[in-house]
Amino acid sequence: MTAILTAERALSPPNLENELLEHVLFYGGKTRRRSYEYLRSLLESALSFAEVQAHYGDDITAQRKRVFRVFRHVEETILDKGLSEDEAKLLRTIAQDITGLASPTLLHEAMFVPNIASLFSPDQQAAWAEDIRSHKWLGCYIQTELGHGSNLRALETTATFIKEADAFEIHSPTLTSIKYWPGALANTANIGVIYARLLVDGKDLGVHSFLIQLRDFATHTPLPGITLGGIGSKFGFNTVDNGFAQFDRVRIPRLHMAMKFNTLSKDGVYARVQGAKREVSYITMLQMRFFMIIGSGKQLSKAATIAVRYSAVRHQGANASNPSEEMQVLNYQSQQHRLLPRLAESYAIIIAGNRLLSFAQRATEMVAQGSTDAGVLALTHATGCAVKVFASELSTRGIEICRRGCGGHGYLQTSGLPELVAYNAQFVTAEGENYVLSQQTTKTLLKMLAAARAGMVASLPAELRFFETIDAPVEVWDATQLTSADYEALFQARLLGILVQMESTAAAYPSLEEAIQANLILSHHLSMCFGKFVLVREFAALLNTTPIAPENKAILDDVFALFCVSQLLEDMSDFLALGCLPLKAASQCQTLQIAILGRLRPHAVTLVDAFGFSDIALNSNLGRHDGNVYEALMNASRAYSNDSTVSFDEYLEPLRAKARRAKL
C-alpha cells in the first residue's frame, strides 16, 4: 500500500508540504520546525508504534503506568539535555499530543502552574518555585463543584479565617459543595489551587483562591480531613484522573491565600494591592482558552489525516467506467464532500488559534507595560469565547464525520478515531459550557455596538471599527466570483445583520442580562457567527501575509475557499434573509463547492501530511504514513487477548448440558 500514498504525494508540488509546515500550520518557520522535529525525536526514540497501540487493549492501570513512563522520560530528558523553558514546554506538548496518552500531569502544567503565576504574589511564587520545579509538588486546579460549574460566584466551599490560628479553615458545608471533576485530583495531585468563599469575621468577601496540600508528600496518602476519590470512567480522556474532594474543616496557613491582588493581615484586615494589574492575570488565564482552540484543530486534523490516508488506500465498489476495477474510496465525490471540508476546517481552526494566541500574548505584554485598554481586554475575552465555542462544535462534529467516513474499521479503537471523538468532546464543556460561554460574547458585542452608536467608534479596538458600517446598505455579492476579501466581507455583513437582530430584541427588556437569558438561542447563534467571522478573517489575513510559492498559494486559496463556501452553505438562510446573496446563490455555492473538491482531491494526502503528525502521534493503524493499513490492522488484532475458554467453560457448556438433560 506504500506505493498508493507515494503516488498520491507525487500529484502535488514537491515543496507544498514543507511550505505549509513552516509557514502556515504548527511550526512558524524553519528554526521552529527543526526544534520541533529534534524534540520529537528525543521522545519517540523511547516509544514504538506497537507500544502506543497497546493503549487500546490495556486496562486503565496499565494505561496510567504507560503515561507516567512517558512523563518521566520527558522530564528526565529536559534535565539531561538542559532544555530551555520554551523547549521544555514544547516537548511536554509533543508528549501530550500522542493520541490516547494524555497524562494526568497535563493539568499541573496547563492549570496549576499558570494559576500560581497569575494569582499569587512574587514572594509566594519565589517561596514555592523549587517545590514546583523539582516535582515535589504535582498540582491541580480545584474549582468545579458537584452542584456548580460555570457560575463561579455560586461556589459553596468556604475558607473561614481563624484569627487566633492565623489560618483558614477549608470546608465543604453541603453535598453540592464537594469539589467534583478537577483533573489529577483522584490519584495524581498532592497539592492544588482551590477556589472557595473567603469568610472573615462573618463577612462573605466572595470567591478567592488558596493553595492547599492534599496528600502527604512522602506517602501520597490524603491528609486528615480530606476525602479524595475518582469520579468514575468517562466517555474518554481516562488516563487523566478526574476526581472529587470533600473537606472537613481543613486548616491551611493564612499565607496560602492568593495575595497578588488582595491581602489579608493577621488581624483580619482585607485590602487590595496597589498597582497590581489584574488584567495581566486575566489575559494569562484566557490563554488557556486559546490553547483549547488550537487543541480542537489538532484533534480534527488528526481525524482528517487518518480518514484521508485510509480513503486513498481503501478500494471499495466497482468503478462504473471500468467495472473490473474497484474504486479508490477518496475518488467518490461523496467521500470528498465528507472529508475535504474537515481538512479545510482543521486549517482554519489551527491558523486562527495560532494567530489569536499571539494576539493574547501581545495583549498581555501591552497591559504589563502600563496600558489598560479595556476594549482590548473585552475583545480578547469575547473572541476567545466565540472561537472556542465555534471551534469545539466544528471539531467535535467533524471528527465523528471522519470516523464514519472510515466505515467499519473506523469503529475500532485501534483506528484512533473513537479516542479522538471522546477526547475532543470535552472541549464543548471545558473552560465554559458553550451555550453559557456564548453569552459572554453577546454581552461584549452589544456593549461595543452601543459605544459605536454613541459616536465612540474610535474607542473600539481596531478589529471592531467596522461597527460604524452597521447601518450601511447591504451589498449583494455574486457567489460565482468571490475573492478572499469578498468572503471576509460577506461573513462580516452577516455578523452585523445578526447583531442588529440581537440589539433590536434586547431593546424590549429592562436589562441586557435579562435580554440575553430570554434569548439564548439567538445569543448562541450570534456567538457562532462571530466565531466564524474571526476564523475567516484570520485565514484571509494569513493568505495575504504569508510568503508562499504561487503554485502552493493557489492550493491554499482553495482550502480557504472550501472552508468559506461550506460555511456559507450551512448558514445559507442567514445570507439570503439578510440580502447578502441572491436566491440563486444556494445552487451556485453547491456547484462551486463541488468544483473546489475536485481541484483539491489530487492534493488531499499532501495537505494532511502537512499537519506533521508522526505515526506515533496519530496512534492509528488506518492513518499510517506508509499506507500499510491492512498489515497494521492484523498486527493489532493478533496482539489482542482472545481467550474464549472462560465463556465456553463457565457459561456455554453448562447451558448445553442443562439443555441435554431437559431433553432426556
Side-chain angles (χ1 to χ4, degrees):
M1 299 301 169
T2 302
I4 294 176
L5 291 189
T6 299
E8 287 283 333
R9 291 171 178 126
L11 298 174
S12 298
N15 63 337
L16 175 62
E17 180 184 347
N18 285 333
E19 287 211 305
L20 295 177
L21 276 168
E22 292 174 1
H23 299 301
V24 177
L25 294 163
F26 293 128
Y27 303 110
K30 291 182 180 179
T31 301
R32 175 76 170 173
R33 181 184 175 186
R34 282 197 296 268
S35 177
Y36 181 95
E37 291 175 345
Y38 165 68
L39 293 171
R40 188 171 72 182
S41 72
L42 296 180
L43 170 64
E44 295 190 352
S45 62
L47 288 169
S48 69
F49 182 72
E51 180 181 0
V52 295
Q53 273 275 296
H55 166 85
Y56 299 123
D58 285 343
D59 61 23
I60 189 62
T61 300
Q63 292 175 1
R64 282 177 52 77
K65 287 181 178 179
R66 182 173 297 109
V67 297
F68 269 107
R69 187 182 81 78
V70 174
F71 162 71
R72 177 180 172 181
H73 174 73
V74 166
E75 297 304 323
E76 288 181 345
T77 299
I78 291 169
L79 296 173
D80 293 343
K81 299 293 184 181
L83 300 183
S84 69
E85 184 176 340
D86 285 344
E87 289 172 327
K89 287 181 179 178
L90 184 53
L91 182 59
R92 292 182 183 117
T93 298
I94 293 168
Q96 295 290 352
D97 278 348
I98 300 174
T99 299
L101 267 66
S103 171
T105 57
L106 167 66
L107 283 305
H108 173 84
E109 296 294 338
M111 298 299 290
F112 175 74
V113 174
N115 260 260
I116 295 293
S118 298
L119 303 174
F120 291 80
S121 71
D123 288 344
Q124 289 174 311
Q125 293 181 50
W128 303 331
E130 178 57 25
D131 288 329
I132 295 173
R133 188 203 65 78
S134 66
H135 306 296
K136 176 182 178 182
W137 289 6
L138 280 177
C140 61
Y141 173 81
I142 314 170
Q143 176 180 306
T144 301
E145 296 176 353
L146 188 60
H148 298 92
S150 299
N151 186 10
L152 187 64
R153 294 178 182 177
L155 295 180
E156 299 178 80
T157 303
T158 57
T160 304
F161 183 53
I162 311 298
K163 195 176 298 185
E164 59 273 19
D166 195 27
F168 295 106
E169 200 171 72
I170 306 297
H171 187 57
S172 305
T174 64
L175 173 66
T176 50
S177 70
I178 294 172
K179 294 297 184 180
Y180 199 89
W181 272 109
L185 184 60
N187 308 112
T188 304
N190 56 20
I191 201 162
V193 173
I194 187 170
Y195 284 63
R197 312 195 69 81
L198 173 58
L199 306 180
V200 180
D201 294 330
K203 184 178 180 180
D204 187 338
L205 297 175
V207 175
H208 286 63
S209 303
F210 304 84
L211 182 78
I212 184 167
Q213 185 178 344
L214 302 168
R215 291 180 166 92
D216 185 276
F217 293 135
T219 65
H220 206 64
T221 55
L223 295 182
I226 302 177
T227 303
L228 300 172
I231 64 173
S233 182
K234 309 184 295 288
F235 183 46
F237 207 52
N238 281 301
T239 51
V240 173
D241 51 312
N242 295 79
F244 70 83
Q246 187 170 15
F247 301 93
D248 184 11
R249 306 189 186 282
V250 177
R251 291 197 176 183
I252 63 172
R254 174 180 57 86
L255 293 178
H256 279 198
M257 180 179 118
M259 293 197 183
K260 191 171 189 176
F261 305 107
N262 304 289
T263 60
L264 187 73
S265 71
K266 290 182 179 180
D267 300 325
V269 177
Y270 180 80
R272 296 190 181 280
V273 176
Q274 296 298 315
K277 296 182 176 67
R278 183 174 286 276
E279 296 88 350
V280 176
S281 169
Y282 179 65
I283 296 182
T284 300
M285 296 308 297
L286 281 181
Q287 288 182 19
M288 182 60 188
R289 199 162 287 149
F290 293 114
F291 283 122
M292 292 185 70
I293 292 166
I294 297 170
S296 291
K298 282 186 179 181
Q299 305 313 312
L300 180 56
S301 63
K302 284 184 178 183
T305 301
I306 293 166
V308 166
R309 286 179 179 169
Y310 175 61
S311 297
V313 169
R314 182 77 166 179
H315 287 68
Q316 192 80 17
N319 188 333
S321 60
N322 187 356
S324 64
E325 293 183 353
E326 281 197 301
M327 276 277 284
Q328 195 175 8
V329 171
L330 196 52
N331 284 338
Y332 285 104
Q333 189 182 83
S334 56
Q335 190 73 343
Q336 295 167 22
H337 186 256
R338 272 176 161 178
L339 302 185
L340 299 189
R342 312 294 80 82
L343 185 157
E345 291 161 3
S346 302
Y347 272 74
I349 296 172
I350 292 168
I351 288 168
N354 286 333
R355 290 175 62 86
L356 292 172
L357 181 60
S358 296
F359 169 75
Q361 291 168 340
R362 290 195 303 273
T364 303
E365 294 169 3
M366 178 190 70
V367 173
Q369 292 167 3
S371 173
T372 55
D373 189 331
V376 171
L377 294 176
L379 177 63
T380 304
H381 176 60
T383 303
C385 291
V387 178
K388 182 266 185 184
V389 169
F390 176 52
S392 60
E393 297 285 353
L394 198 62
S395 57
T396 300
R397 181 194 67 171
I399 295 170
E400 171 61 11
I401 292 172
C402 290
R403 188 196 65 76
R404 294 184 188 185
C406 291
H409 291 331
Y411 200 61
L412 287 168
Q413 283 283 356
T414 55
S415 74
L417 290 161
E419 185 78 24
L420 290 174
V421 170
Y423 182 102
N424 202 80
Q426 67 179 299
F427 290 144
V428 301
T429 306
E431 285 298 299
E433 193 279 331
N434 280 356
Y435 271 87
V436 174
L437 207 57
S438 63
Q439 298 172 52
Q440 301 296 316
T441 300
T442 298
K443 182 182 292 187
T444 299
L445 293 180
L446 287 175
K447 286 183 176 180
M448 290 188 168
L449 177 57
R453 297 280 196 205
M456 296 185 290
V457 172
S459 69
L460 298 182
E463 292 83 358
L464 293 184
R465 300 276 169 81
F466 65 85
F467 275 18
E468 64 184 348
T469 68
I470 196 162
D471 294 322
V474 176
E475 182 179 347
V476 182
W477 281 267
D478 180 353
T480 63
Q481 299 180 14
L482 293 170
T483 64
S484 62
D486 290 332
Y487 284 122
E488 184 177 350
L490 250 176
F491 282 88
Q492 176 180 298
R494 190 272 295 268
L495 169 63
L496 291 176
I498 301 302
L499 181 56
V500 168
Q501 289 181 17
M502 189 70 206
E503 178 192 38
S504 176
T505 301
Y509 294 84
S511 71
L512 192 54
E513 289 73 18
E514 288 178 77
I516 293 172
Q517 193 171 83
N519 296 277
L520 291 176
I521 296 173
L522 181 57
S523 170
H524 183 71
H525 184 51
L526 174 60
S527 179
M528 291 282 280
C529 291
F530 185 54
K532 293 181 185 188
F533 164 68
V534 171
L535 260 65
V536 171
R537 182 191 69 196
E538 296 302 320
F539 203 151
L542 180 132
L543 289 174
N544 294 327
T545 58
T546 302
I548 188 168
E551 65 273 18
N552 295 334
K553 174 70 160 46
I555 296 170
L556 190 58
D557 284 342
D558 272 339
V559 174
F560 172 69
L562 179 59
F563 172 71
C564 294
V565 171
S566 299
Q567 294 304 315
L568 283 175
L569 285 168
E570 290 204 3
D571 295 346
M572 184 59 66
S573 60
D574 276 352
F575 295 95
L576 296 178
L578 294 168
C580 302
L581 291 171
L583 187 59
K584 61 183 178 181
S587 60
Q588 290 173 337
C589 284
Q590 288 176 338
T591 301
L592 178 57
Q593 185 189 50
I594 291 170
I596 299 172
L597 292 175
R599 293 200 298 268
L600 287 178
R601 162 61 189 93
H603 312 295
V605 170
T606 304
L607 285 168
V608 298
D609 285 351
F611 291 127
F613 295 117
S614 66
D615 284 343
I616 287 177
L618 280 181
N619 197 7
S620 167
N621 53 31
L622 300 187
R624 292 176 60 92
H625 189 272
D626 61 12
N628 292 330
V629 169
Y630 303 122
E631 294 89 339
L633 282 167
M634 285 310 304
N635 287 339
S637 297
R638 290 188 178 104
Y640 187 76
S641 176
N642 190 39
D643 183 2
S644 64
T645 58
V646 173
S647 59
F648 183 83
D649 293 342
E650 293 187 21
Y651 301 103
L652 185 56
E653 184 55 31
L655 176 61
R656 287 175 175 173
K658 186 171 184 178
R660 287 194 298 270
R661 289 193 300 271
K663 186 176 181 180
L664 295 174

